[in-house]
Amino acid sequence: MKSIENAYRRYASIYDLLFGAVFQPGRRTIVERMNCKPGQRILEVGVGTGLSLPLYPKDVQLYGIDISSEMLARAQARKVRSRLGNVMQLSVMDAEHMEFEDSSFDKVVAMHVASVVADPERLVNEMRRVCKPDGQIIFVNHFHSRNPLLGRFENMLAPLSGQLGFRPDFSLDRFMDQTGLDATEIGRVNLFRFCTVLEARNNKLFEPEAMAQAGAMS
Ligand SMILES: C[S@@+](CC[C@H](N)C(=O)[O-])C[C@H]1O[C@@H](n2cnc3c(N)ncnc32)[C@H](O)[C@@H]1O
């Protein structure tokens, strides 16, 4: 966890330059795809410098959390600069242990976060917990490339994950297996279709609930 915080402390001042414009088409596509309705509560986990915040309709309520106070300070500055009155809360918070109540949000989004967090399974469980039943859960991420050359390059970079602040060899199959996420791949976005968009409906029972139900039936 400390290494992630350190990495994003280092990135904060240059993050928008490195990952702003290049990933912005994907952020835009996702927000359009979310089809947000007036008054809906949207949570962005790992909101970073808040590059996506101006893309949302002005009549939704946006909440953003991030583990890095340096990244979040930039999101806060963006909120003020761009007069984003629909941003209700930006908080330093661990997406693997959120302080929100169960079923607090209509939609929960993680843009370029799945390959960054220490424990993707815990991230997904928490996203499910705070999302309303039948709410929408969305991920966009670059997963380990199936192109042999690029894949090999990413494998070579893998030992540097701590310094890079993400895992270049993070595979989609492993993510789906680890999390049991019932997600549909709904498209590829950004230059060279570099990133994958995944969407899930929050309609699966959480494990403790499922076990309690199984116990009640036996
Ligand atoms: C690659 S950046 C993505 C930022 C933003 N979503 C975007 O699209 O540019 C990953 C972000 O996830 C944050 N992060 C990593 N682990 C986290 C955790 N456990 N809880 C909350 N945020 C986390 C990092 O601090 C960083 O700001």
Side-chain angles (χ1 to χ4, degrees):
M1 181 71 79
K2 267 280 161 248
S3 73
I4 299 172
E5 286 181 57
N6 288 339
Y8 284 92
R9 179 175 309 121
R10 285 195 303 271
Y11 274 130
S13 60
I14 51 167
Y15 185 86
D16 291 3
L17 205 63
L18 293 179
F19 304 109
V22 71
F23 288 157
Q24 200 66 348
R27 295 185 186 97
R28 192 179 300 280
T29 302
I30 287 170
V31 172
E32 281 166 10
R33 169 96 202 185
M34 285 166 69
N35 193 18
C36 298
K37 300 281 187 295
Q40 283 190 324
R41 287 164 57 93
I42 319 287
L43 172 65
E44 270 219 24
V45 301
V47 66
T49 61
L51 284 158
S52 58
L53 296 175
L55 305 177
Y56 286 91
K58 297 293 172 276
D59 54 6
V60 298
Q61 299 182 19
L62 294 174
Y63 293 75
I65 63 160
D66 204 286
I67 202 75
S68 161
S69 54
E70 289 81 3
M71 293 286 279
L72 209 60
R74 286 169 195 267
Q76 184 63 41
R78 190 185 308 279
K79 172 188 160 159
V80 173
R81 199 170 56 239
S82 304
R83 299 202 176 93
L84 302 176
N86 57 345
V87 177
M88 313 309 289
Q89 187 182 326
L90 292 170
S91 308
V92 174
M93 198 189 292
D94 181 0
E96 294 177 26
H97 303 278
M98 290 193 249
E99 292 155 23
F100 299 114
E101 303 278 311
D102 296 358
S103 308
S104 296
F105 298 98
D106 298 284
K107 298 170 193 284
V108 184
V109 193
M111 298 197 193
H112 310 290
V113 179
S115 59
V116 173
V117 293
D119 186 339
E121 186 181 356
R122 226 163 31 203
L123 167 75
V124 170
N125 286 341
E126 275 294 86
M127 289 173 73
R128 282 176 170 153
R129 182 183 67 75
V130 301
C131 186
K132 291 180 184 171
D134 212 37
Q136 191 183 28
I137 298 184
I138 297 210
F139 298 87
V140 60
N141 222 92
H142 172 67
F143 293 96
H144 189 233
S145 177
R146 290 182 181 140
N147 173 305
L149 258 186
L150 188 54
R152 223 170 301 148
F153 179 63
E154 289 171 351
N155 288 341
M156 280 165 52
L157 287 180
L160 299 177
S161 297
Q163 291 94 311
L164 289 171
F166 58 91
R167 288 187 295 283
D169 61 342
F170 187 63
S171 98
L172 175 57
D173 292 342
R174 203 171 62 214
F175 181 56
M176 300 296 248
D177 281 355
Q178 271 181 358
T179 59
L181 193 66
D182 193 10
T184 321
E185 186 175 325
I186 55 171
R188 305 289 293 262
V189 289
N190 294 327
L191 199 60
F192 306 123
R193 296 158 47 82
F194 190 66
C195 301
T196 304
V197 182
L198 300 172
E199 179 184 18
R201 281 279 151 204
N202 196 26
N203 53 11
K204 281 179 89 180
L205 291 179
F206 304 125
E207 223 168 279
E209 266 178 63
M211 281 165 61
Q213 282 206 356
M217 283 189 299
S218 60

